[in-house]
Amino acid sequence: MSALPDVIVIGAGVIGLSAALALQAEGRRVVVLDREGPAAGASAGNAGAFAFTDILPLASPGILRKASKWLLDPLGPLSVPPAYALRIAPWMFRFWRACAPHRVAQSTAAQTALMDLSKALLEPFLERTGTLPMLRKDGNLQVYEGEAEFRASLAGWQARAGHGIDFHHMNAREMAEIQPGIAPRFTHGTFTPGWYSISDPKLYTLALAERFVAGGGRIDQAEARALRPVENGIEVTAGTTLRAGHVVLAAGAFSHRIARTLGERIPLETERGYNTTLPASAFDLRTQITFGGHGFVITRLSSGIRVGGAVELGGLDLPPNFGRSRAMLGKAKTFLPGLDARGGTEWMGFRPSLPDSLPVIGVARETPRVVYAFGHGHLGLTQSVGTARLVADLVAGRKPAIDLSPFSPRRF
Ligand SMILES: Cc1cc2nc3c(=O)[nH]c(=O)nc-3n(C[C@H](O)[C@H](O)[C@H](O)COP(=O)(O)OP(=O)(O)OC[C@H]3O[C@@H](n4cnc5c(N)ncnc54)[C@H](O)[C@@H]3O)c2cc1C
């Protein structure tokens, strides 16, 4: 590509690459910049779920009830390292405010619109990018320890039913038909068939990168440091100075640092997540299982069995505490007694998270030539294809496919 690109996309994670492919499909010359190369961030190590039924925002009264219990366990599902507690306090305050019932209703409606768009566009996108064989439709089984935990979940399921989501509540015998080998302490379950997975999130992201390059795109390894509006375009400082008509900022949990060079203050934080990927022979897993009371899931990937989740509000700079991966693995071994927990690989990644559990999708305050697409929290893979379409709409100056006001960078 010799002429100036039409668009520079910053970030070669699942959001940036999906957006780059959507722009390329509309005939635009696109360059993607990533300081490490494709699939370097959260997009590589996530749990691989297209969790389209997960429409309820994390910021909700239910999570506040669980959080007070979870925080008591230093290696539990939610933790705030003391070294980061003061820094994260304003974000937590905003999170708490987003838990008000009227805010939850608004976020649920917005999340549902983005989920529906993403689901409708997913299969045509996978088909076009040659990745359809990686899609699995083996659902998700949420399991509960006893009647009380199950009953506490019912209000959430009722809310999902109101949005047309299909699910089936089950007793232990019915669960065993879907997934044998779950410990008897899990007495109830809910199966959601409309929850899909990708066979491996890293291989999927790399496949998107390959497809983008095969379609004439270019991926440069460079760290974007600053953005500056210039006549008819945007200048990106990334070692050398690059220029394009538009810039899409999709640098995951690091995006706010770059947005700040345009004078924008966006309260992006990271919910650090952990996992261990075991050899594929570790367990005969037939669906993804969510242990909601313990904040982790177990997923079958082409590369192995992944046990992961947890939220650590520890910022971008503290070293990882892999005690968390081990704590989840220890629990998984108890919950699935046949699991062979040996020979795993540990990983930590940065979920990019806004306090109201919605991403930022919209244009910069200073110029519509910079499009923001970050902050997808627990749902970046799930919402990647819908986000890509919305980015393409914004770059083209078209009316976006859904109302973007709930996702506005100026909502804070
Ligand atoms: C444990 C865990 C489990 C998860 N499970 C799921 C799941 O099952 N389903 C789901 O939908 N989501 C899941 N997620 C969330 C999902 O992984 C993220 O929302 C998603 O990957 C975010 O994608 P992204 O492209 O925005 O960011 P990333 O994948 O982090 O990509 C950002 C890229 O930007 C680059 N970058 C950063 N700064 C710069 C710079 N200055 N210049 C150039 N490049 C830069 C990085 O190198 C990186 O490659 C999970 C996350 C975790 C941690």
Side-chain angles (χ1 to χ4, degrees):
M1 193 187 295
S2 51
L4 276 184
D6 299 318
V7 186
I8 293 174
V9 176
I10 301 174
V14 74
I15 298 293
L17 287 166
S18 304
L21 281 157
L23 291 161
Q24 190 181 60
E26 295 193 355
R28 293 180 198 279
R29 284 163 305 154
V30 184
V31 169
V32 174
L33 300 185
D34 196 291
R35 61 184 179 192
E36 292 181 63
S43 302
N46 64 50
F50 288 107
F52 295 121
T53 59
D54 218 356
I55 55 167
L56 304 180
L58 195 69
S60 64
I63 204 77
L64 291 183
R65 278 194 296 276
K66 283 185 187 170
S68 46
K69 188 178 103 195
W70 282 350
L71 281 167
L72 296 175
D73 175 0
L75 289 181
L78 172 66
S79 65
V80 185
Y84 203 68
L86 265 184
R87 291 275 306 278
I88 192 83
W91 187 93
M92 288 176 82
F93 179 66
R94 285 190 155 111
F95 182 94
W96 173 74
R97 285 209 320 200
C99 293
H102 72 284
R103 301 267 314 266
V104 173
Q106 287 164 359
S107 305
T108 305
Q111 204 69 292
T112 304
L114 184 52
M115 292 296 201
D116 288 350
L117 179 70
S118 299
K119 187 170 185 183
L121 298 178
L122 179 68
E123 288 184 55
F125 179 85
L126 298 184
E127 176 95 65
R128 213 176 57 238
T129 54
T131 52
L132 194 55
M134 300 178 96
L135 184 66
R136 287 185 176 156
K137 295 188 174 177
D138 37 18
N140 174 277
L141 181 63
Q142 165 95 35
V143 294
Y144 307 99
E145 279 175 283
E147 182 84 22
E149 191 188 344
F150 173 62
R151 296 231 158 269
S153 77
L154 292 179
W157 289 111
Q158 205 178 343
R160 290 183 186 93
H163 289 280
I165 287 169
D166 185 26
F167 55 85
H168 312 283
H169 295 314
M170 295 182 169
N171 59 30
R173 186 184 50 74
E174 291 162 325
M175 284 198 293
E177 280 167 23
I178 290 189
Q179 178 60 62
I182 302 176
R185 64 199 275 179
F186 294 97
T187 52
H188 297 69
T190 307
F191 185 66
T192 36
W195 177 295
Y196 303 161
S197 299
I198 202 79
S199 55
D200 184 291
K202 180 171 185 181
L203 297 181
Y204 171 64
T205 308
L206 291 174
L208 296 185
E210 239 173 65
R211 181 67 195 204
F212 170 69
V213 172
R218 200 178 85 204
I219 303 180
D220 289 355
Q221 190 170 344
E223 175 159 7
R225 294 187 178 277
L227 304 178
R228 192 166 74 90
V230 290
E231 203 187 342
N232 297 327
I234 299 293
E235 206 172 75
V236 182
T237 310
T240 55
T241 305
L242 303 159
R243 251 181 206 214
H246 285 80
V247 165
V248 176
L249 180 52
F254 299 84
S255 302
H256 58 315
R257 291 182 173 174
I258 303 166
R260 208 175 291 151
T261 65
L262 286 174
E264 202 106 54
R265 297 212 159 260
I266 299 177
L268 184 72
E269 268 293 347
T270 180
E271 295 177 68
R272 294 149 55 119
Y274 289 84
N275 67 40
T276 306
T277 307
L278 301 167
S281 57
F283 191 75
D284 178 16
L285 193 65
R286 305 190 184 169
T287 181
Q288 187 180 53
I289 308 178
T290 300
F291 299 98
H294 298 271
F296 73 92
V297 301
I298 170 162
T299 314
R300 178 170 64 98
L301 303 173
S302 57
S303 50
I305 299 289
R306 180 163 291 168
V307 178
V311 166
E312 185 185 58
L313 297 172
L316 296 168
D317 301 319
L318 290 182
N321 174 1
F322 286 113
R324 293 195 188 293
S325 309
R326 277 162 235 149
M328 278 185 279
L329 193 58
K331 284 184 182 172
K333 173 81 189 136
T334 317
F335 300 165
L336 303 172
L339 180 77
D340 182 350
R342 293 170 301 172
T345 307
E346 293 169 342
W347 176 87
M348 187 274 276
F350 298 110
R351 295 185 193 92
S353 300
L354 278 311
D356 58 2
S357 312
L358 297 178
V360 163
I361 306 171
V363 300
R365 187 193 305 271
E366 198 172 333
T367 165
R369 290 180 177 274
V370 174
V371 175
Y372 295 145
F374 55 80
H376 295 74
H378 295 238
L379 294 167
L381 171 66
T382 308
Q383 298 178 335
S384 53
V385 177
T387 300
R389 161 67 190 276
L390 295 165
V391 166
D393 289 344
L394 290 169
V395 168
R398 289 190 297 261
K399 183 174 183 289
I402 60 172
D403 173 21
L404 283 184
S405 55
F407 305 101
S408 165
R410 276 167 287 290
R411 67 187 189 269
F412 301 104

